[in-house]
Each structure stands twice: as structure tokens, then as C-alpha cells.
Amino acid sequence: MSDPAPPTQPGPGSAASPLSSGVALVDVNNFYVSSERAFDPSLEGRPLVVLSNNDGCVITRSAEAKALGIPMGAPWFQIAEQAKAWGLQVRSSNYELYGDMSARVMEVLGRYTTDLEIYSIDEAFLTLDGTHGEQHVTGRIIKASVRRNTGLPVCVGIAPTKTLAKLANRWAKGNPNFDGVCHWDLVPEDQRQSLLHRLKVTDIWGVGTRNGARLNAIGIDTAWDLAAADPVLIRKRFSVVLMRTVLELQGTPCITSIESTGNEQVFFSRSFANPVNSRDAMQQALSVYAQGAASRLARKNLQGRVLTAFAGTSPFSTGTKSSPSICIPLPAHTANPLDLTRAAHKLLPLIEEGVPYIRAGVIITDLQPVGTQDALLTLDLDSGANTGQTPGKDAGPLLHEIGQKFGRSSIGLGHAGLKAGSEWTMKRDMLSPHYTTKWTDLPVVKAQ
């Protein structure tokens, strides 16, 4: 997203800097790779990839790895032989490290605003007040502060709306003239228009491939075309959600906190390193996954009404094939890990002993924000009776907080609190140390 001419941005107090409230999107650059490099400087400048669950495929690549032509999603077994010749560094996904580094970044960001919305593990929206120039200066301070306090590089995009802040952040990443911080309103209008003309409509946050094809069919091919569209017409032909995107491109803030997340479900699933052959092992796995889903709900301040639990054997297995699933309507919207765990265990009678299951998971749907309904009544899912109370209702946020600080495996309820065995736990043969969440892995500095 580079430009033919370097964009210029007026400084604080310029005539083009009216007093206003802006939205800043702060995004960690190449988060997994940067987290690994923060504690292992020897990885700087070297090609590095991070692998998915069970060391399956490439999910993050450093710029040097991209230059080698390694595609996203490349199966590790296909590139393992060439790795040494390439000088390629490889790491298993260190979720404990990434979760803790995320929490540290968000803590730093919270120092610069009273309105912080965590959008994902590596990005957040902040509300910034002041003139455009003052907001731009704050963006630079935030960038330097995150780097100094966490060791992670970030880019900052600032604009009147979240959709434009997304574009500004992306522009800041792609154009070195911004030095990592772009304020949309401080870029000359002709350059903004040039960018919108060059961007495909599917490059706009929230549009998606399906809507993109439908928009192309009516002559809307670029971001500029969408920004110039009639919002009322877009609502009639598409949806109120896409209409809001148009309004945001035109500079009118209208995407609220919950709408901006795009949450329709919370999904927690893992493939097993080795097949699970017993109900007891599956019960532990489902407990861990249900409580992982509860933690994600707590992080997003959401509750769900429907839980779906599933498991499956390999589609390539020559033996017995089994793909059981069950959908459990909960008595009310909840993020209570006890309720979710009990519901997930309803799958167990469908699990066949001795059959090698290679995956399992839970999906929470029918989501809504916490606090938008009356007091909950908790159903005893084992007996079907309404207990009239909510045991463990505060456990979800507590589990999430402890897991963020000490790692996911540090605490669990019931079977999820048992030490997981090697039967089904995830394969991570190239795992880096848990630098910030395990005493035994703390970095040691020796003075000479």
C-alpha cells in the first residue's frame, strides 16, 4: 500500500487540526513472530515461522520467511527438509507466551485512554481526544511506549471511525513514510482518494468475499465506489451492517463495540496429538475446551445460549468412523464454565469406547453482551432441574484472568483441573520457553 509521493502530516496545532474525538487502532506487527523475537534476539533478521496446533502448518511468517517464498498454511512436513538449507527458524505455537504478551500490551494501551476495546489478541481500539495533531503525537507516544515496555513493535491508525482507523493502520504498515503511525485526517485528501481508488472493495474491514462478489455485480469494485454509494440503497440491497460500513467510510461513526467484533460464535477446538480412545480421556478434553470457551466469552464480555459439542475420527481412517455431535440449548444466556462443561459432557454417551477420535471441540452460539438480560437461572444439566442459583457464575472471568497470567494449563474445574496426559494433549516439539508464565523458564541475565 505504498504511495507514489510521501504522505505529509501536519503537526500539532496546525489549521487542519480541529478539536475532535478520534479512534485509534493499535495492532502488533506480526504478533507471534515479534513475541518470539522479544525474548530471543538471535531471531532478529532471520527467517522464522510459527506452526499451528500439533506443528501442522505455517500460520505466521516473518518478512524473511515470506521472501523465501514460504506460503501461509504450508504443511510443515513439506518444508522441513529444506529448513536447514534455508536457515529457517521454526517455533511451535506458544499460546501461553502470546496470551501474556497480549495482556501486557493491553495494559500499556490502557494508560492512554479511558475507552479501550480489545478487538483481538494483538489489536485494540482506543478513543483519543484532542486536535488531530495531538492525537497523532499520542499515537507516536503509544508506539514508543509499547515497544519500550514489551519489546513489541506496533502500528497505529487514527481516524474518525473504526473502519477508517483500520485503513489507516494498514496504510501505516505498508508505507514507511508514516513510520508506523498514520492519522487519516492529516493525510492530504488527494492521497486518501488515491488509496481508496486502488483498494478492492473486499479489502475493506467487514465486507467479505460473498458481499464483495455481490457488490462487484452492481459496479462497486473499489473502496472509493463503496464510500460513494448511497447508504439507504446499500441497506435495501444488502444489510444494515454493510450500510454502517458505508457511513463509516464517509466519516460517520456508527459501529458499536459489540458490532465491531463480528462475533457470531465462540469456537474452541483442537486436534489431538494422539487419538483419544476412551470416554474418560474425552471427558477431560471436553472439560478443557468448554472452559476455554468460557474464558473467551469472559474476555469478550459475552454470554451464549446454545452449546454444540462434537468429536470426530480421521476421514482417512480405515477402521470405525464416528463423528458424534450434540446441540444443547442452555436455560439462559451464560458464560458460566460449570454450565458449559456440564453441557459439553452430554456428548459423552455418544462416544464409542475404543474408537480413535482425533479431534473434539465446542461451539457457543446465540451470543449477547453480559448484562442485557435479567438474573439467570441455572439448570442442573445432570438432573434437568432448575436450581434457582448460579454456582460458579464468576468462575469464567476468574479462570480467564488466571490463565492469562499463569498459562491456560495453570487452573481448571473438575476434569479440566487434572494434569493433562500425553494421550491427547497438543504436540509442540519446537516450543520456546514460557518466558513470562513459568518460574523455571524465566530468562537469566548474567553479568560479567
Side-chain angles (χ1 to χ4, degrees):
M1 296 179 64
S2 59
D3 289 275
T8 58
Q9 303 200 58
S14 71
S17 297
L19 189 66
S20 65
S21 179
V23 178
L25 176 66
V26 181
D27 182 22
V28 181
N29 301 340
N30 214 340
F31 179 56
Y32 287 4
V33 165
S34 296
S35 295
E36 297 287 352
R37 285 175 167 173
F39 292 94
D40 187 352
S42 70
L43 297 174
E44 291 286 350
R46 303 171 71 182
L48 171 65
V49 296
V50 177
L51 303 179
S52 65
N53 296 334
N54 294 316
D55 295 340
C57 61
V58 173
I59 57 172
T60 301
R61 304 162 296 164
S62 68
E64 297 81 4
K66 294 176 184 178
L68 290 173
I70 299 173
M72 182 68 79
W76 169 238
F77 74 88
Q78 290 184 355
I79 62 176
E81 291 186 4
Q82 300 104 305
K84 186 174 182 180
W86 290 338
L88 181 65
Q89 305 299 304
V90 186
R91 296 292 184 270
S92 303
S93 292
N94 192 335
Y95 297 116
E96 296 83 355
L97 174 64
Y98 308 149
D100 186 64
M101 294 301 288
S102 173
R104 293 176 183 223
V105 170
M106 301 309 165
E107 190 278 328
V108 173
L109 298 183
R111 303 174 188 176
Y112 297 94
T113 182
T114 58
D115 185 10
L116 174 68
E117 179 190 343
I118 299 174
Y119 179 69
S120 68
I121 192 172
D122 63 344
E123 57 185 326
F125 289 105
L126 296 76
T127 298
L128 300 180
D129 295 323
T131 66
H132 294 161
E134 289 168 345
Q135 293 166 11
H136 184 255
V137 169
T138 301
R140 293 203 171 279
I141 292 172
I142 289 172
K143 175 177 178 284
S145 181
V146 173
R147 182 70 167 183
R148 181 175 63 253
N149 287 280
T150 70
L152 300 180
V154 301
C155 282
V156 183
I158 308 170
T161 71
K162 289 180 178 176
T163 302
L164 289 176
K166 273 276 192 178
L167 283 181
N169 183 281
R170 178 173 175 175
W171 208 356
K173 286 180 184 290
N175 190 328
N177 292 302
F178 288 115
D179 192 26
V181 180
C182 171
H183 196 305
W184 183 261
D185 286 326
L186 297 183
V187 177
E189 185 175 358
D190 61 331
Q191 293 187 27
R192 283 183 275 159
Q193 291 183 6
S194 175
L195 173 71
L196 293 174
H197 278 294
R198 296 196 309 273
L199 281 178
K200 297 179 181 178
V201 70
T202 49
D203 290 331
I204 300 301
W205 178 48
V207 171
T209 304
R210 183 179 302 176
N211 276 336
R214 293 179 61 199
L215 288 167
N216 294 159
I218 61 173
I220 298 178
D221 300 312
T222 68
W224 176 262
D225 297 332
L226 187 60
D230 180 354
V232 176
L233 179 62
I234 293 297
R235 178 175 181 173
K236 288 180 179 179
R237 291 198 177 190
F238 294 87
S239 66
V240 68
V241 174
L242 194 57
M243 179 194 75
R244 290 170 182 157
T245 298
V246 174
L247 291 171
E248 290 245 325
L249 286 171
Q250 296 173 355
T252 302
C254 55
I255 294 182
T256 65
S257 176
I258 189 64
E259 289 164 343
S260 70
T261 65
N263 287 309
E264 297 179 358
Q265 64 181 23
V266 165
F267 187 87
F268 200 107
S269 176
R270 296 285 187 273
S271 297
F272 304 135
N274 297 296
V276 166
N277 299 280
S278 69
R279 287 197 185 104
D280 286 344
M282 184 63 74
Q283 184 176 29
Q284 186 183 13
L286 290 172
S287 298
V288 171
Y289 296 169
Q291 290 169 39
S295 177
R296 290 183 179 177
L297 287 171
R299 175 168 59 86
K300 298 180 179 184
N301 201 35
L302 294 173
Q303 295 176 319
R305 186 65 185 269
V306 178
L307 180 143
T308 300
F310 64 91
T313 55
S314 171
F316 307 106
S317 173
T318 57
T320 302
K321 290 184 172 62
S322 176
S323 300
S325 65
I326 189 169
C327 183
I328 305 294
L330 300 165
H333 283 86
T334 181
N336 186 336
L338 295 176
D339 288 347
L340 300 182
T341 300
R342 290 168 181 160
H345 286 173
K346 290 297 182 181
L347 180 69
L348 293 175
L350 304 180
I351 298 297
E352 301 179 50
E353 289 283 351
V355 172
Y357 293 94
I358 65 165
R359 66 183 182 277
V362 299
I363 305 171
I364 314 295
T365 53
D366 189 5
L367 306 182
Q368 69 178 28
V370 172
T372 56
Q373 74 284 327
D374 295 331
L376 303 180
L377 293 178
T378 300
L379 182 69
D380 183 339
L381 293 169
D382 293 323
S383 64
N386 193 325
T387 65
Q389 54 184 335
T390 54
K393 66 178 181 180
D394 298 324
L398 179 61
L399 290 175
H400 173 66
E401 183 179 351
I402 294 175
Q404 285 282 341
K405 185 173 292 187
F406 301 106
R408 287 180 184 170
S409 62
S410 60
I411 190 170
L413 301 175
H415 288 272
L418 300 175
K419 183 174 176 60
S422 60
E423 180 181 3
W424 59 270
T425 49
M426 191 165 50
K427 176 183 178 182
R428 295 190 288 180
D429 290 341
M430 291 161 282
L431 185 66
S432 56
H434 298 94
Y435 296 107
T436 63
T437 58
K438 282 188 178 181
W439 288 107
T440 55
D441 289 354
L442 287 178
V444 177
V445 178
K446 297 181 180 180
Q448 294 184 351

